[in-house]
Amino acid sequence: MENFQFYSPTCFVFGKDTENKAGEYVKKFGGTKVLIHYGGGSVVRSGLLDRVKSSLDKECIPHIELGGVQPNPRSGLVYEGIDLCKKENVDFILAVGGGSTIDSSKAIAAGVVYDGDFWDFYSGKRIEEALSVGTILTIAAAGSEGSPDSVITKEEGMFKRGASGDAIRPKFSILNPALTQTLPPFQTAAGITDIMAHLYERYLTNTKDVEVTDRMIEALLLTMIHEGPRVIENPNNYEARANIMWAGTMAHTNMCGVGRSQDWNSHNIEHELSALYDCAHGAGLAVTMPAVFTYVMSHNVMRFAQVASRVWGCQMDFEHPEVTAKAGIEAFRRFLKSIGMPGNFSELGAKEEDIPKLVEVLCRGDGRDGSISGFVTLNEEDCTKIYKMMV
Ligand code: NZQ
Ligand code: ZN
């Protein structure tokens, strides 16, 4: 195991009706004027926004609103939010929604206290300072409620890039599984896929002897395999929603990723798809992961055979571990299909003729040197082959 520091200061408030404590927690973390940031309207329709406003009113905390965050959040609204916060002297951003709303909130929080263009953070500059952010999560998926990351898409060129820094870790995150019961089945399934991707990205390591984190990841994957179909069958299953929600947070606070190298090539390859076609991130990952795994499998067959036997229940073939490894990837592919995820480019709305463009942005965009690195370093030829496997 490699040396590491684990820092995860977010206060997680979990359970039924916890959104009514939003005001209390904003106060506890020093907010005196709040921007409530939200998406395309699900929180208005469900009545959640009104409950959050009442909770702030109860604590006499003034608040303003900015809605309209799109999935794959855009830089345009971030600029708008930064101007609004400066004009209104906001000192706390409360994100009410999913990963897109949380990421947009984090970008605004960093941009308000920065003299230059906030996009600098999405071109490699680390975020050292930001306004405080709190979240009320409405979809178990991205894990942004406990992560130091934010992913934003720049409209010109549709560049989707990430920024990082402990300053944007949420001060608190309110997790009420019941709030996810209004999700359309497709979004629930896309969230499940993203959570599993965050686990696989950490499982695919080149570090030896990391049994504790291997076993934690396997436990969370097994939980998703058990609870995913239950929640797709019955969207009102609170207990299944609760297990998925907490698994989603644990999958991405990095407690399962410490002390080991990680992959993230599936995410990099997917980000170009959701940037270009504006598809759901989880749906893009459902198409990307089986192709990437098949392509890189020979780099460490035993890693794939291990997850196949421990998680997917495949019989270990010690003479031909590649058979077990492949069976595990196929079991994952079948699982994703069974919960309603797309399996190829056309089901995703992607086009084969765009592959050269995807590869160019992936491997050359933002100063990259023609390759992406992770479990295996992949050059332009590798990425072209991987995209072609998804067609
Ligand atoms: O906008 P509204 O109307 O709220 O509708 C949303 C949106 O259409 C809807 N939704 C959310 N909660 C709902 C609901 N509809 C009904 N009832 C509810 N309770 O779901 C749709 C998707 O929302 P979004 O926030 O986009 O989903 P998700 O949480 O999957 O976030 C995806 C974004 O997070 C990024 C992705 O790249 C993508 O841009 N990621 C962020 C990460 C991070 N910050 O650490 C890591 C991830 O790997 C990921 O890259
Ligand atoms: Zn993800």
Side-chain angles (χ1 to χ4, degrees), residues 43-64:
V43 303
V44 179
R45 290 189 296 276
S46 67
L48 173 61
L49 188 64
D50 282 341
R51 296 205 292 287
V52 171
K53 287 199 268 188
S54 307
S55 169
L56 292 168
D57 291 340
K58 218 166 96 193
E59 300 293 339
C60 304
I61 300 168
H63 48 86
I64 55 169

PDB file of all heavy atoms in Angstrom, residues 43-64:
ATOM      1  N   VAL A  43     -36.833  20.031  -8.363  1.00  0.00           N
ATOM      2  CA  VAL A  43     -36.956  20.394  -6.939  1.00  0.00           C
ATOM      3  C   VAL A  43     -38.103  21.386  -6.693  1.00  0.00           C
ATOM      4  O   VAL A  43     -38.590  21.503  -5.572  1.00  0.00           O
ATOM      5  CB  VAL A  43     -35.633  20.956  -6.352  1.00  0.00           C
ATOM      6  CG1 VAL A  43     -34.494  19.969  -6.524  1.00  0.00           C
ATOM      7  CG2 VAL A  43     -35.261  22.294  -6.957  1.00  0.00           C
ATOM      8  N   VAL A  44     -38.513  22.066  -7.765  1.00  0.00           N
ATOM      9  CA  VAL A  44     -39.675  22.960  -7.651  1.00  0.00           C
ATOM     10  C   VAL A  44     -40.927  22.089  -7.646  1.00  0.00           C
ATOM     11  O   VAL A  44     -41.802  22.215  -6.775  1.00  0.00           O
ATOM     12  CB  VAL A  44     -39.713  23.960  -8.843  1.00  0.00           C
ATOM     13  CG1 VAL A  44     -40.930  24.871  -8.734  1.00  0.00           C
ATOM     14  CG2 VAL A  44     -38.425  24.772  -8.902  1.00  0.00           C
ATOM     15  N   ARG A  45     -40.978  21.161  -8.612  1.00  0.00           N
ATOM     16  CA  ARG A  45     -42.167  20.291  -8.739  1.00  0.00           C
ATOM     17  C   ARG A  45     -42.378  19.412  -7.507  1.00  0.00           C
ATOM     18  O   ARG A  45     -43.508  19.151  -7.100  1.00  0.00           O
ATOM     19  CB  ARG A  45     -42.035  19.413  -9.999  1.00  0.00           C
ATOM     20  CG  ARG A  45     -42.164  20.196 -11.296  1.00  0.00           C
ATOM     21  CD  ARG A  45     -42.243  19.268 -12.491  1.00  0.00           C
ATOM     22  NE  ARG A  45     -41.021  18.482 -12.692  1.00  0.00           N
ATOM     23  CZ  ARG A  45     -39.944  18.947 -13.350  1.00  0.00           C
ATOM     24  NH1 ARG A  45     -39.933  20.162 -13.863  1.00  0.00           N
ATOM     25  NH2 ARG A  45     -38.886  18.185 -13.507  1.00  0.00           N
ATOM     26  N   SER A  46     -41.299  18.951  -6.893  1.00  0.00           N
ATOM     27  CA  SER A  46     -41.450  18.038  -5.746  1.00  0.00           C
ATOM     28  C   SER A  46     -41.771  18.783  -4.447  1.00  0.00           C
ATOM     29  O   SER A  46     -42.070  18.161  -3.441  1.00  0.00           O
ATOM     30  CB  SER A  46     -40.157  17.242  -5.551  1.00  0.00           C
ATOM     31  OG  SER A  46     -39.126  18.113  -5.139  1.00  0.00           O
ATOM     32  N   GLY A  47     -41.646  20.108  -4.469  1.00  0.00           N
ATOM     33  CA  GLY A  47     -41.895  20.887  -3.244  1.00  0.00           C
ATOM     34  C   GLY A  47     -40.664  21.015  -2.366  1.00  0.00           C
ATOM     35  O   GLY A  47     -40.685  21.684  -1.328  1.00  0.00           O
ATOM     36  N   LEU A  48     -39.556  20.396  -2.784  1.00  0.00           N
ATOM     37  CA  LEU A  48     -38.333  20.429  -1.965  1.00  0.00           C
ATOM     38  C   LEU A  48     -37.817  21.857  -1.808  1.00  0.00           C
ATOM     39  O   LEU A  48     -37.406  22.257  -0.708  1.00  0.00           O
ATOM     40  CB  LEU A  48     -37.272  19.522  -2.619  1.00  0.00           C
ATOM     41  CG  LEU A  48     -35.879  19.556  -1.995  1.00  0.00           C
ATOM     42  CD1 LEU A  48     -35.896  19.095  -0.542  1.00  0.00           C
ATOM     43  CD2 LEU A  48     -34.904  18.671  -2.789  1.00  0.00           C
ATOM     44  N   LEU A  49     -37.834  22.618  -2.902  1.00  0.00           N
ATOM     45  CA  LEU A  49     -37.305  23.981  -2.838  1.00  0.00           C
ATOM     46  C   LEU A  49     -38.035  24.801  -1.773  1.00  0.00           C
ATOM     47  O   LEU A  49     -37.408  25.522  -0.984  1.00  0.00           O
ATOM     48  CB  LEU A  49     -37.430  24.649  -4.213  1.00  0.00           C
ATOM     49  CG  LEU A  49     -36.743  26.008  -4.351  1.00  0.00           C
ATOM     50  CD1 LEU A  49     -35.241  25.892  -4.181  1.00  0.00           C
ATOM     51  CD2 LEU A  49     -37.067  26.630  -5.702  1.00  0.00           C
ATOM     52  N   ASP A  50     -39.357  24.664  -1.723  1.00  0.00           N
ATOM     53  CA  ASP A  50     -40.141  25.415  -0.727  1.00  0.00           C
ATOM     54  C   ASP A  50     -39.764  24.997   0.695  1.00  0.00           C
ATOM     55  O   ASP A  50     -39.659  25.835   1.587  1.00  0.00           O
ATOM     56  CB  ASP A  50     -41.647  25.180  -0.949  1.00  0.00           C
ATOM     57  CG  ASP A  50     -42.160  26.005  -2.121  1.00  0.00           C
ATOM     58  OD1 ASP A  50     -41.464  26.976  -2.493  1.00  0.00           O
ATOM     59  OD2 ASP A  50     -43.224  25.662  -2.671  1.00  0.00           O
ATOM     60  N   ARG A  51     -39.549  23.701   0.884  1.00  0.00           N
ATOM     61  CA  ARG A  51     -39.180  23.227   2.233  1.00  0.00           C
ATOM     62  C   ARG A  51     -37.814  23.772   2.640  1.00  0.00           C
ATOM     63  O   ARG A  51     -37.593  24.143   3.799  1.00  0.00           O
ATOM     64  CB  ARG A  51     -39.173  21.688   2.289  1.00  0.00           C
ATOM     65  CG  ARG A  51     -40.545  21.055   2.061  1.00  0.00           C
ATOM     66  CD  ARG A  51     -40.644  19.672   2.696  1.00  0.00           C
ATOM     67  NE  ARG A  51     -39.802  18.676   2.051  1.00  0.00           N
ATOM     68  CZ  ARG A  51     -40.037  18.131   0.854  1.00  0.00           C
ATOM     69  NH1 ARG A  51     -41.094  18.498   0.137  1.00  0.00           N
ATOM     70  NH2 ARG A  51     -39.234  17.214   0.348  1.00  0.00           N
ATOM     71  N   VAL A  52     -36.906  23.834   1.683  1.00  0.00           N
ATOM     72  CA  VAL A  52     -35.567  24.349   1.983  1.00  0.00           C
ATOM     73  C   VAL A  52     -35.643  25.837   2.315  1.00  0.00           C
ATOM     74  O   VAL A  52     -35.018  26.313   3.283  1.00  0.00           O
ATOM     75  CB  VAL A  52     -34.614  24.106   0.777  1.00  0.00           C
ATOM     76  CG1 VAL A  52     -33.286  24.821   0.966  1.00  0.00           C
ATOM     77  CG2 VAL A  52     -34.387  22.611   0.586  1.00  0.00           C
ATOM     78  N   LYS A  53     -36.451  26.569   1.556  1.00  0.00           N
ATOM     79  CA  LYS A  53     -36.583  28.015   1.820  1.00  0.00           C
ATOM     80  C   LYS A  53     -37.190  28.246   3.211  1.00  0.00           C
ATOM     81  O   LYS A  53     -36.735  29.114   3.957  1.00  0.00           O
ATOM     82  CB  LYS A  53     -37.438  28.673   0.731  1.00  0.00           C
ATOM     83  CG  LYS A  53     -36.687  28.789  -0.595  1.00  0.00           C
ATOM     84  CD  LYS A  53     -37.309  29.813  -1.525  1.00  0.00           C
ATOM     85  CE  LYS A  53     -38.307  29.202  -2.435  1.00  0.00           C
ATOM     86  NZ  LYS A  53     -38.824  30.080  -3.473  1.00  0.00           N
ATOM     87  N   SER A  54     -38.207  27.440   3.565  1.00  0.00           N
ATOM     88  CA  SER A  54     -38.819  27.592   4.899  1.00  0.00           C
ATOM     89  C   SER A  54     -37.799  27.331   5.986  1.00  0.00           C
ATOM     90  O   SER A  54     -37.788  28.008   7.030  1.00  0.00           O
ATOM     91  CB  SER A  54     -39.949  26.584   5.121  1.00  0.00           C
ATOM     92  OG  SER A  54     -40.844  26.651   4.098  1.00  0.00           O
ATOM     93  N   SER A  55     -36.948  26.339   5.753  1.00  0.00           N
ATOM     94  CA  SER A  55     -35.947  25.996   6.755  1.00  0.00           C
ATOM     95  C   SER A  55     -34.958  27.155   6.957  1.00  0.00           C
ATOM     96  O   SER A  55     -34.550  27.453   8.086  1.00  0.00           O
ATOM     97  CB  SER A  55     -35.237  24.714   6.299  1.00  0.00           C
ATOM     98  OG  SER A  55     -34.129  24.469   7.065  1.00  0.00           O
ATOM     99  N   LEU A  56     -34.583  27.826   5.853  1.00  0.00           N
ATOM    100  CA  LEU A  56     -33.695  28.995   5.972  1.00  0.00           C
ATOM    101  C   LEU A  56     -34.426  30.150   6.658  1.00  0.00           C
ATOM    102  O   LEU A  56     -33.861  30.845   7.506  1.00  0.00           O
ATOM    103  CB  LEU A  56     -33.189  29.424   4.587  1.00  0.00           C
ATOM    104  CG  LEU A  56     -32.222  28.454   3.890  1.00  0.00           C
ATOM    105  CD1 LEU A  56     -32.020  28.847   2.430  1.00  0.00           C
ATOM    106  CD2 LEU A  56     -30.868  28.428   4.595  1.00  0.00           C
ATOM    107  N   ASP A  57     -35.704  30.336   6.286  1.00  0.00           N
ATOM    108  CA  ASP A  57     -36.500  31.414   6.900  1.00  0.00           C
ATOM    109  C   ASP A  57     -36.583  31.224   8.414  1.00  0.00           C
ATOM    110  O   ASP A  57     -36.524  32.182   9.177  1.00  0.00           O
ATOM    111  CB  ASP A  57     -37.924  31.436   6.319  1.00  0.00           C
ATOM    112  CG  ASP A  57     -37.929  31.886   4.852  1.00  0.00           C
ATOM    113  OD1 ASP A  57     -36.933  32.518   4.436  1.00  0.00           O
ATOM    114  OD2 ASP A  57     -38.907  31.595   4.136  1.00  0.00           O
ATOM    115  N   LYS A  58     -36.748  29.967   8.826  1.00  0.00           N
ATOM    116  CA  LYS A  58     -36.872  29.669  10.253  1.00  0.00           C
ATOM    117  C   LYS A  58     -35.639  30.143  11.035  1.00  0.00           C
ATOM    118  O   LYS A  58     -35.736  30.538  12.199  1.00  0.00           O
ATOM    119  CB  LYS A  58     -37.051  28.154  10.429  1.00  0.00           C
ATOM    120  CG  LYS A  58     -38.031  27.802  11.536  1.00  0.00           C
ATOM    121  CD  LYS A  58     -38.457  26.355  11.468  1.00  0.00           C
ATOM    122  CE  LYS A  58     -37.608  25.524  12.403  1.00  0.00           C
ATOM    123  NZ  LYS A  58     -37.734  24.089  12.184  1.00  0.00           N
ATOM    124  N   GLU A  59     -34.489  30.093  10.372  1.00  0.00           N
ATOM    125  CA  GLU A  59     -33.239  30.530  11.029  1.00  0.00           C
ATOM    126  C   GLU A  59     -32.934  31.994  10.706  1.00  0.00           C
ATOM    127  O   GLU A  59     -31.842  32.483  11.005  1.00  0.00           O
ATOM    128  CB  GLU A  59     -32.063  29.659  10.561  1.00  0.00           C
ATOM    129  CG  GLU A  59     -32.204  28.174  10.861  1.00  0.00           C
ATOM    130  CD  GLU A  59     -32.175  27.849  12.350  1.00  0.00           C
ATOM    131  OE1 GLU A  59     -31.669  28.664  13.149  1.00  0.00           O
ATOM    132  OE2 GLU A  59     -32.681  26.772  12.718  1.00  0.00           O
ATOM    133  N   CYS A  60     -33.888  32.665  10.029  1.00  0.00           N
ATOM    134  CA  CYS A  60     -33.717  34.089   9.642  1.00  0.00           C
ATOM    135  C   CYS A  60     -32.484  34.307   8.764  1.00  0.00           C
ATOM    136  O   CYS A  60     -31.740  35.288   8.952  1.00  0.00           O
ATOM    137  CB  CYS A  60     -33.653  34.992  10.869  1.00  0.00           C
ATOM    138  SG  CYS A  60     -35.075  34.822  11.936  1.00  0.00           S
ATOM    139  N   ILE A  61     -32.227  33.370   7.854  1.00  0.00           N
ATOM    140  CA  ILE A  61     -31.080  33.508   6.939  1.00  0.00           C
ATOM    141  C   ILE A  61     -31.610  33.980   5.577  1.00  0.00           C
ATOM    142  O   ILE A  61     -32.374  33.268   4.924  1.00  0.00           O
ATOM    143  CB  ILE A  61     -30.335  32.153   6.771  1.00  0.00           C
ATOM    144  CG1 ILE A  61     -29.818  31.660   8.129  1.00  0.00           C
ATOM    145  CG2 ILE A  61     -29.176  32.303   5.786  1.00  0.00           C
ATOM    146  CD1 ILE A  61     -29.332  30.224   8.119  1.00  0.00           C
ATOM    147  N   PRO A  62     -31.212  35.175   5.126  1.00  0.00           N
ATOM    148  CA  PRO A  62     -31.682  35.648   3.823  1.00  0.00           C
ATOM    149  C   PRO A  62     -31.134  34.792   2.673  1.00  0.00           C
ATOM    150  O   PRO A  62     -30.023  34.261   2.773  1.00  0.00           O
ATOM    151  CB  PRO A  62     -31.151  37.083   3.734  1.00  0.00           C
ATOM    152  CG  PRO A  62     -30.167  37.241   4.822  1.00  0.00           C
ATOM    153  CD  PRO A  62     -30.341  36.134   5.808  1.00  0.00           C
ATOM    154  N   HIS A  63     -31.935  34.672   1.612  1.00  0.00           N
ATOM    155  CA  HIS A  63     -31.507  33.809   0.500  1.00  0.00           C
ATOM    156  C   HIS A  63     -32.021  34.335  -0.827  1.00  0.00           C
ATOM    157  O   HIS A  63     -33.055  34.998  -0.893  1.00  0.00           O
ATOM    158  CB  HIS A  63     -31.996  32.376   0.719  1.00  0.00           C
ATOM    159  CG  HIS A  63     -33.439  32.272   1.091  1.00  0.00           C
ATOM    160  ND1 HIS A  63     -34.448  32.231   0.154  1.00  0.00           N
ATOM    161  CD2 HIS A  63     -34.049  32.227   2.316  1.00  0.00           C
ATOM    162  CE1 HIS A  63     -35.611  32.147   0.788  1.00  0.00           C
ATOM    163  NE2 HIS A  63     -35.412  32.145   2.095  1.00  0.00           N
ATOM    164  N   ILE A  64     -31.227  34.021  -1.885  1.00  0.00           N
ATOM    165  CA  ILE A  64     -31.667  34.285  -3.254  1.00  0.00           C
ATOM    166  C   ILE A  64     -31.554  32.965  -4.014  1.00  0.00           C
ATOM    167  O   ILE A  64     -30.993  32.001  -3.484  1.00  0.00           O
ATOM    168  CB  ILE A  64     -30.819  35.384  -3.931  1.00  0.00           C
ATOM    169  CG1 ILE A  64     -29.327  35.033  -3.888  1.00  0.00           C
ATOM    170  CG2 ILE A  64     -31.078  36.731  -3.273  1.00  0.00           C
ATOM    171  CD1 ILE A  64     -28.474  35.946  -4.756  1.00  0.00           C
TER     172      ILE A  64
END
